[in-house]
């Protein structure tokens, strides 16, 4: 809570002058990136190149090397090219970071003569951008001026779309392209139109904006059709002449309206692309209605189509209650401008990247580039907010407001026509939003001033550079922006690619078909069930019965024959279904496609061989053998007796090639092991007895030493043996003796060093088995002595894992698997930060079937539509002694405790929690 705005003392009024309440945010100045002068170079390439060398020199980086006499060749359809058009200054940190992450992928184009537009071969009516010359960036800050022969095709384009000498050619090159575009000149004009953005921010994001009355010349425009929010009114004029009466009426109603009650001054200014940075405005007292109306009428005469005259309240920065004075000097009013940079992150979710603030005297405008920026916490402290808790709370509110602002603008932008956006593929990926702090009903509130394409970015990058000057660690802004641009370019690369998918799986894999549509993949499906529901969801359906996986070598030959008979030329082949991973590896080998060697996949698929192989791997500190567990294969009761002499009890008996935890059991003695093996060998003989759990490989078992400790999943993305991404999740206590999974959380509750133990153990086990390329799921136990391996799944994690990782961290394991199979290292977050915590519980048909059938499932589905729960159907509802979970129910929260609390309350309300199924106990392990 803050005090109501205090009137200035006589001394303050004398010092401050008549504009003391001016908040210093109305003058929208030209971007502080250097605009090329007229040097005689018609396309400004020379000046831009000199700017680049100057910037590199100031950063202590090597100057650009000229390789134009040695043209680069060999670029193909899977090569990534992120093209930045225009001035190098604003995007240099992003170019350097992108060059480090993906050497050679970032290319700076300084001249329209370096690029050409040709009709698109894939999108009728669109154009492809071909680069014949550019500056490419490599690791270590190295850059090279290169000529590309043949020209290099851009897979993502952005640039300096703000007004300036170069904006005309930048806008022309980046118009109606067939690749993703991070903005355009029409989009920049729309985003920087205060009338359009304030209506959107107020109506859709629920943010406070300065009360605004806009007189717009023209009857049509790219304004959203939302009802005008309170305090923001739009008046369209067909003719600016003879409007005095209407203007006086509208101005009088606005000045006397409720929205203007807290404010005493207004400003009148023209708005539009042409007026950006001119500083043309006049300031008036609210009581001067006639003068205000006259100023509006005077401005109308100079307008062009779709330009406007704005009448807006001058919203002053709130003055906090003054602390005891240290001196007799008056406490003077301060203006505080908060600028934020938000990017479109994975899953099109807005992510706040950086905040910087400008401070100044209230009567002097605080413009971008006019003052050196400060960090948010330091600015709030200097402004008078002493409590660290209050500053943290305000920072969290700012994060929410900035991300809500971008989400609202992206939703409104999606409703614009392709012509209004500058092309079908044009979207805003980087956005600046300016805020100030005001007092509303004695409470501190954020007021959204405006959106911009580049000014906030330049201010925040300057703040990061200043931090490096005094030894501060590098910030996240360049990394987050480079990852966003590179990720969108990679999504474009997979569009239209032909993917041979082996095995459709069951209901738990239904997301594959939706994802294929989302990414534009052409799926050619090989599936044993000729009536599978996915037959109508794919490009090509190839029914082939491969359930007897002991004959996978023969099956691979037949599948290759089917593919060639249909004249299919897949770019990649993979499988998400556990039963088919070896067959997919064999098909890859025969078609010459990228994938893990069949021998490595076989080794991981057969659990006893995995451990026995690792026990022989004794190089390393510690060696992979340290993570293996004693086990023996069981094919007869004689094997049980021999294994009992080697494996200590209690032990775990399970299927050698099993999946989904079916048939796993804790056995206390050889006698119990004999009984369990006899039952399993009697009930589970072939795939038809229980499809999808590995019986196509036979029903051999293994006896493994029981490992105490907590259970965890580690999902890995590897490319050429290099770890690109890893995510650790925790499992709750399993239901003994069958080891049924009960609950899970993501992110892990473990300390970072314990998570690092799990990731390193999983990585070493995969490498030791020869799994070097792909997405793998590794199940481990963690005890006082460190991690021990349970099993390696040589495919993407099952159950809810792909959905949860995408929701919490952003990256999609399915897309990562496709990229690796195409031979492209996926761009993943270098420092993944969770956006939320998820806690989930498994539902069983035997325990929860009645509750789910009698209203429980419908209630959960209703909550899911409102975004309150996450549901993941796993298997068709079926009970019995070999039961699998049928549904995962999860809740999100800001912490593990909050997520678990919400989930427990939900389970108690719906009857999922019971004495026989104590959800409270299952969740109690997540501390």
């Amino acid at each position: 809570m803050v005090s109501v705005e205090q009137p200035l003392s006589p001394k303050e009024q004398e010092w401050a002058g008549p504009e003391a309440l001016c908040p210093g945010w109305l003058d929208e100045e030209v971007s502080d990136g250097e605009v090329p002068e007229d040097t005689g170079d018609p396309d400004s390439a020379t000046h831009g190149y000199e700017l680049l060398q100057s910037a590199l020199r100031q950063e202590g980086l090597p100057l650009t090397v000229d390789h134009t006499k040695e043209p680069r060749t060999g670029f193909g359809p899977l090569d990534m090219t992120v093209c930045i058009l225009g001035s190098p200054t604003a995007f240099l940190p992003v170019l350097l970071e992108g060059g480090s992450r993906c050497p050679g992928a970032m290319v700076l184009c300084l001249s329209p003569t370096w690029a050409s537009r040709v009709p698109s071969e894939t999108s009728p009516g669109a154009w492809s951008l071909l680069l014949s010359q550019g500056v490419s960036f490599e690791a270590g800050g190295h850059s090279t001026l290169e000529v590309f022969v043949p020209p290099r095709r851009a897979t993502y384009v952005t640039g300096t779309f703000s007004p300036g000498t170069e904006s005309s050619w930048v806008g022309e090159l980046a118009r109606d392209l067939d690749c993703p575009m991070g903005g355009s000149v029409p989009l920049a004009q729309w985003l920087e139109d205060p009338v359009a953005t304030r209506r959107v921010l107020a109506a859709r994001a629920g943010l406070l904006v300065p009360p605004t009355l806009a007189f717009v010349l023209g009857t049509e425009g790219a304004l959203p059709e939302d009802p005008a929010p309170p305090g923001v009114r739009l008046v369209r004029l067909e003719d600016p002449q003879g409007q005095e009466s209407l203007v006086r009426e509208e101005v009088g109603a606005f000045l006397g309206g409720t929205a203007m009650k807290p404010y005493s001054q207004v400003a009148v200014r023209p708005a539009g692309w042409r007026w950006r940075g001119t500083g043309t405005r006049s300031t008036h007292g609210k009581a001067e209605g006639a003068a205000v109306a006259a100023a509006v009428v005077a401005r109308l005469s100079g307008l062009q189509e779709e330009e406007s005259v704005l009448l807006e309240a001058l919203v002053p920065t709130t003055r906090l209650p003054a602390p005891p004075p240290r001196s007799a000097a008056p406490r003077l009013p301060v203006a505080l401008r908060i600028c934020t940079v938000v990017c479109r992150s994975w899953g099109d979710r807005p992510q706040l990247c950086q905040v910087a603030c400008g401070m100044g005297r209230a009567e002097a405008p605080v413009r971008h580039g006019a003052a050196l920026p400060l960090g948010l916490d330091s600015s709030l402290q200097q402004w008078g907010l002493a409590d660290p808790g209050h500053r943290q709370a305000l920072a969290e509110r700012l994060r929410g407001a900035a991300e809500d602002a971008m989400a609202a603008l992206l939703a409104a932008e999606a409703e614009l026509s392709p012509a209004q956006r500058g092309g079908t593929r044009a979207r805003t990926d980087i956005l600046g939003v300016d805020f100030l702090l005001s007092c509303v009903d004695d409470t501190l509130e954020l007021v959204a001033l405006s959106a911009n394409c580049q000014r906030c970015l330049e201010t925040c990058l300057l703040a990061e550079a200043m931090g490096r000057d005094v030894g501060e660690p590098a910030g996240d802004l360049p990394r987050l922006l480079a990852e966003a641009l590179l990720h969108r370019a990679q999504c474009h690369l997979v569009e239209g690619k032909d993917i041979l998918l082996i095995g459709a799986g069951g209901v738990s894999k239904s997301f594959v078909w939706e994802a294929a549509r989302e990414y534009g993949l052409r799926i050619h499906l090989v599936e044993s069930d000729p009536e599978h529901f996915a037959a109508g969801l794919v490009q090509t359906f190839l029914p082939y019965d491969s359930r007897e996986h002991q004959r996978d070598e023969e099956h691979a030959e037949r599948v290759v024959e089917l593919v060639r008979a249909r004249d299919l030329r897949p770019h990649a082949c993979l499988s998400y279904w556990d039963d088919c991973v070896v067959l997919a590896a064999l098909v890859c080998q025969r078609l010459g496609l990228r994938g893990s060697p069949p021998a490595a996949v076989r080794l991981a698929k057969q659990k006893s061989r995995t451990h026995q192989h690792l026990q022989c791997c004794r190089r390393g500190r510690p060696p992979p053998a340290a993570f293996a567990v004693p086990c023996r294969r069981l094919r007869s009761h004689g094997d049980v007796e021999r294994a009992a002499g080697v494996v200590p009890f209690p032990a775990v008996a399970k299927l050698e090639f099993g999946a989904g935890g079916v048939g796993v059991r804790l056995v206390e003695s050889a006698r119990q092991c004999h009984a369990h093996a006899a039952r399993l060998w009697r009930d589970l003989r072939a795939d038809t007895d229980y499809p999808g759990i590995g019986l196509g490989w036979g029903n051999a078992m293994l006896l493994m030493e029981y490992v105490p400790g907590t259970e965890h999943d580690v999902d890995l993305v590897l490319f050429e043996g290099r770890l690109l991404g890893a995510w650790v999740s925790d499992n709750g206590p399993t239901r003994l003796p069958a080891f049924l999974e009960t609950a899970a959380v993501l992110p892990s509750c473990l300390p970072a060093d314990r998570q690092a133990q799990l990731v390193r153990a999983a990585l070493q086990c995969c490498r030791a088995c020869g799994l070097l390329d792909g997405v793998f799921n590794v199940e481990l136990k963690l005890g006082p002595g460190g991690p021990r391996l349970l099993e390696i799944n040589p495919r993407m994690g099952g159950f809810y894992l792909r959905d949860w990782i995408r929701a919490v961290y952003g990256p999609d394991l399915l897309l990562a698997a496709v990229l690796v199979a195409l031979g492209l290292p996926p761009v993943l977050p270098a420092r993944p930060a969770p956006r939320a915590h998820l806690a989930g519980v498994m539902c069983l048909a035997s325990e929860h079937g009645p509750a789910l059938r009698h209203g429980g499932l419908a209630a959960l589905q209703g909550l899911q539509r409102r975004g309150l729960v996450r549901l993941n159907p796993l298997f068709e509802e079926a009970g019995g002694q070999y039961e699998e979970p049928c549904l995962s129910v999860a809740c999100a929260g800001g912490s593990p405790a909050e997520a678990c609390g919400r989930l427990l309350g939900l389970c108690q309300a719906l009857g999922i929690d019971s004495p026989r199924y104590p959800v409270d106990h299952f969740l109690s392990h997540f501390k």
Side-chain angles (χ1 to χ4, degrees):
M1 303 290 287
V2 297
S3 65
V4 178
E5 185 73 23
Q6 300 171 356
L8 299 178
S9 68
K11 281 190 176 182
E12 289 174 331
Q13 291 178 11
E14 181 181 349
W15 176 85
E19 294 187 5
L21 290 181
C22 172
W25 48 263
L26 285 170
D27 287 339
E28 293 300 346
E29 68 296 326
V30 175
S31 162
D32 62 9
E34 298 183 58
V35 178
E37 302 173 359
D38 185 7
T39 61
D41 179 10
D43 56 40
S44 304
T46 302
H47 183 73
Y49 192 77
E50 291 171 352
L51 280 179
L52 174 62
Q53 303 317 300
S54 174
L56 291 172
R57 191 179 296 110
Q58 291 173 15
E59 292 293 327
L61 296 172
L63 299 182
T64 303
V65 178
D66 188 346
H67 279 179
T68 53
K69 293 182 179 179
E70 303 170 8
R72 280 193 66 183
T73 61
F75 290 100
L78 289 176
D79 286 300
M80 183 163 53
T81 302
V82 174
C83 175
I84 308 295
L85 299 171
S87 172
T89 48
F91 286 96
L92 180 58
V94 181
L95 288 162
L96 293 169
E97 176 68 23
S100 176
R101 293 294 300 274
C102 296
M106 308 293 291
V107 180
L108 174 65
C109 177
L110 295 171
S111 166
T113 62
W114 292 10
S116 60
R117 288 159 50 90
V118 298
S120 172
E121 298 175 358
T122 57
S123 304
W127 299 80
S128 295
L129 185 67
L130 302 182
L131 298 174
S132 56
Q133 189 169 334
V135 180
S136 60
F137 290 78
E138 306 284 339
H142 295 276
S143 57
T144 308
L145 178 62
E146 298 182 295
V147 170
F148 308 116
V149 179
R152 186 171 175 178
R153 187 180 300 272
T155 55
Y156 179 90
V157 175
T158 190
T160 51
F161 298 116
S162 301
T165 306
E166 64 206 8
S167 65
S168 58
W169 69 262
V170 169
E172 180 59 28
L173 283 180
R175 179 177 52 83
D176 296 323
L177 298 181
D178 59 359
C179 69
M181 297 183 290
S184 65
V185 168
L187 268 184
Q189 292 175 343
W190 180 79
L191 283 170
E192 302 205 10
D193 179 354
V195 181
T197 53
R198 286 180 185 174
R199 284 169 61 98
V200 171
L201 295 177
R204 300 196 182 193
L207 297 175
L208 292 175
V209 299
T212 306
L213 173 63
F215 295 91
V216 183
L217 184 60
T219 57
E220 296 181 1
L223 291 173
E225 297 182 359
D226 303 286
V232 181
R233 175 161 173 75
L234 170 68
V235 179
R236 283 201 173 274
L237 305 174
E238 294 187 22
D239 186 350
Q241 305 301 320
Q243 304 290 346
E244 291 82 357
S245 175
L246 173 63
V247 168
R248 282 195 299 270
E249 181 182 339
E250 291 286 350
V251 168
F254 176 77
L255 295 177
T258 306
M260 278 297 299
K261 247 184 185 179
Y263 310 110
S264 60
Q265 287 194 315
V266 294
V268 177
R269 65 183 174 106
W273 197 248
R274 188 166 58 101
W275 298 96
R276 184 177 178 271
T278 62
T280 306
R281 70 182 179 96
S282 58
T283 307
H284 310 269
K286 184 171 67 172
E288 305 169 8
V292 173
V296 171
V297 170
R299 297 290 182 203
L300 285 175
S301 61
L303 294 189
Q304 297 178 1
E305 187 79 7
E306 286 306 312
E307 292 181 340
S308 59
V309 173
L310 297 188
L311 170 59
E312 52 194 352
L314 289 177
V315 182
T317 299
T318 297
R319 300 183 69 198
L320 295 179
R326 297 181 181 179
S327 69
R331 182 170 177 262
L332 302 174
V334 171
L336 173 65
R337 184 188 194 118
I338 304 173
C339 72
T340 63
V341 173
V342 195
C343 75
R344 185 196 296 261
S345 187
W346 275 269
D348 287 345
R349 293 185 303 186
Q351 180 175 2
L352 179 65
C353 301
Q354 178 68 292
V355 179
C357 299
M359 296 190 69
R361 300 185 309 193
E363 85 287 357
V366 182
R367 304 175 179 178
H368 283 290
L372 293 174
L374 293 168
L376 177 65
D377 193 72
S378 173
S379 299
L380 294 178
Q381 202 166 1
Q382 182 177 338
W383 178 54
L385 200 59
D387 189 311
H390 291 168
R391 296 200 300 272
Q392 180 61 34
L394 189 57
E396 289 302 316
R397 285 174 54 196
L398 178 64
R399 173 181 293 278
E403 292 178 351
D404 288 347
M406 186 173 196
L409 290 169
L410 293 183
E413 172 187 293
E415 298 170 6
L416 301 177
S417 69
Q420 291 170 328
R421 291 200 306 274
T424 304
R425 307 301 300 272
R427 302 191 311 186
T428 298
D429 289 335
I430 302 172
L431 178 70
V433 186
D434 282 316
F435 293 89
L436 60 79
L437 287 165
S438 183
C439 180
V440 179
D441 297 330
D442 294 339
T443 304
L444 209 57
E445 295 289 354
L446 290 162
V447 179
L449 301 178
S450 59
N452 60 79
C453 299
Q454 197 169 319
R455 293 190 304 277
C456 282
L457 173 61
E458 293 169 343
T459 299
C460 288
L461 287 172
L462 174 60
E464 289 217 347
M466 291 166 56
R468 294 196 302 273
D469 292 343
V470 294
E472 289 290 316
D476 289 331
L477 179 58
R479 175 182 62 82
L480 292 172
L481 298 185
E483 288 175 351
L485 272 54
L486 291 166
H487 169 66
R488 196 164 170 216
Q490 286 199 326
C491 288
H492 176 60
L493 283 177
V494 305
E495 291 176 14
K497 296 298 180 287
D498 293 282
I499 308 299
L500 184 63
L501 190 63
I502 311 296
V507 65
S508 65
K509 304 299 182 190
S510 297
F511 62 83
V512 171
W513 323 117
E514 180 182 347
R517 288 194 301 273
E518 177 184 345
Y519 295 123
L521 301 174
R522 295 160 52 91
I523 300 294
H524 308 284
L525 174 63
V526 178
E527 166 55 34
S528 297
D529 179 7
E531 304 297 325
H532 197 282
F533 69 87
L537 304 176
V538 296
Q539 187 76 21
T540 308
F541 184 66
L542 302 171
Y544 176 78
D545 189 354
S546 64
R547 288 175 295 178
E548 291 185 45
H549 288 289
Q550 292 169 329
R551 300 167 50 209
D552 268 354
E553 293 278 355
E554 176 187 336
H555 295 324
E557 294 292 345
R558 301 288 84 77
V559 168
V560 169
E561 290 174 5
L562 282 173
V563 168
R564 288 173 175 161
R566 294 288 192 99
D567 198 26
L568 301 178
R569 292 178 174 80
H571 297 95
C573 171
L574 66 161
S575 179
Y576 303 113
W577 190 236
D578 200 83
D579 272 8
C580 298
V581 290
V582 174
L583 176 57
L586 290 166
V587 172
C588 281
Q589 186 182 62
R590 284 161 171 76
L591 292 176
L593 299 174
R594 192 184 190 95
S596 294
V601 179
R602 276 201 182 97
L603 187 62
K605 178 64 181 167
Q606 189 171 347
K607 298 175 176 59
S608 65
R609 283 190 61 204
T610 304
H611 287 273
Q612 289 162 7
H613 172 77
L614 292 175
Q615 286 167 354
C616 299
C617 298
R618 300 195 171 273
R619 289 188 178 181
R621 298 173 69 99
F627 313 121
V629 177
C631 61
R632 289 293 184 273
R633 190 178 190 190
L634 308 177
R635 284 175 289 186
S636 66
H637 287 283
D639 290 337
V640 173
E641 288 298 324
R642 287 185 287 274
V646 179
V647 178
F649 290 98
V652 180
K654 57 183 178 180
L655 289 169
E656 173 82 299
F657 298 94
V662 176
V664 184
R665 192 170 189 85
L666 181 70
V667 292
E668 303 280 355
S669 63
R671 183 178 61 81
Q672 287 188 9
C673 186
H674 277 293
H676 181 56
R679 186 165 51 250
L680 223 61
W681 287 333
R682 180 193 67 227
D683 299 339
L684 304 176
R685 296 173 176 271
D687 187 74
T688 52
D689 294 328
Y690 204 128
I693 64 166
L695 293 175
W697 295 93
N699 64 351
M701 298 175 60
L702 79 155
L703 187 67
M704 171 187 285
E705 176 185 318
Y706 174 73
V707 180
T710 55
E711 190 170 333
H712 306 270
D713 280 78
V714 179
D715 289 273
L716 304 172
V717 179
L718 299 184
F719 187 83
E720 296 179 347
R722 178 164 54 102
L723 179 66
L724 300 183
W727 298 269
V728 180
S729 54
D730 301 343
N731 293 333
T734 52
R735 290 187 87 199
L736 297 176
F739 290 98
L740 275 174
E741 184 175 338
T742 57
V745 293
L746 183 77
S748 171
C749 299
L750 294 171
D753 56 350
R754 297 288 273 169
Q755 292 187 51
Q757 282 187 314
L758 290 165
V759 171
R760 178 55 55 145
L763 177 61
Q764 285 189 231
C765 290
C766 286
R767 285 173 172 169
C769 289
L771 298 173
L772 305 179
D773 289 287
V775 178
F776 309 116
N777 171 257
V778 185
E779 299 175 25
L780 303 107
K781 280 284 196 77
L782 184 63
R788 303 291 295 279
L789 176 69
L790 296 181
E791 59 186 61
I792 300 174
N793 298 305
R795 40 91 182 150
M796 180 179 70
F799 287 0
Y800 46 80
L801 285 169
R802 178 255 181 182
D803 178 55
W804 280 25
I805 290 170
R806 196 181 188 200
V808 172
Y809 291 103
D812 187 350
L813 294 185
L814 182 148
L815 176 63
V818 170
L819 287 166
V820 173
L822 289 169
L824 301 171
V827 174
L828 300 171
R831 293 192 288 275
R835 298 178 65 91
H837 293 258
L838 282 176
V841 67
M842 295 293 202
C843 293
L844 303 174
S846 59
E847 296 288 346
H848 309 114
L852 293 175
R853 284 191 296 270
H854 296 96
L857 184 58
L860 287 170
Q861 290 169 337
L863 292 171
Q864 180 174 239
R865 285 191 291 271
R866 295 166 56 192
L868 299 177
V869 301
R870 299 192 78 85
L871 301 181
N872 292 100
L874 303 177
F875 298 99
E876 299 295 339
E877 188 177 308
Q881 59 179 320
Y882 304 117
E883 187 172 23
E884 292 177 284
C886 62
L887 181 69
S888 168
V889 180
C891 291
S895 66
E898 183 180 353
C900 288
R902 290 177 178 174
L903 180 62
L904 179 59
L906 177 68
C907 291
Q908 290 171 340
L910 295 179
I912 296 173
D913 176 59
S914 70
R916 283 173 46 83
Y917 203 81
V919 174
D920 188 21
H921 168 65
F922 299 150
L923 299 177
S924 66
H925 286 53
F926 306 133
K927 301 296 185 184

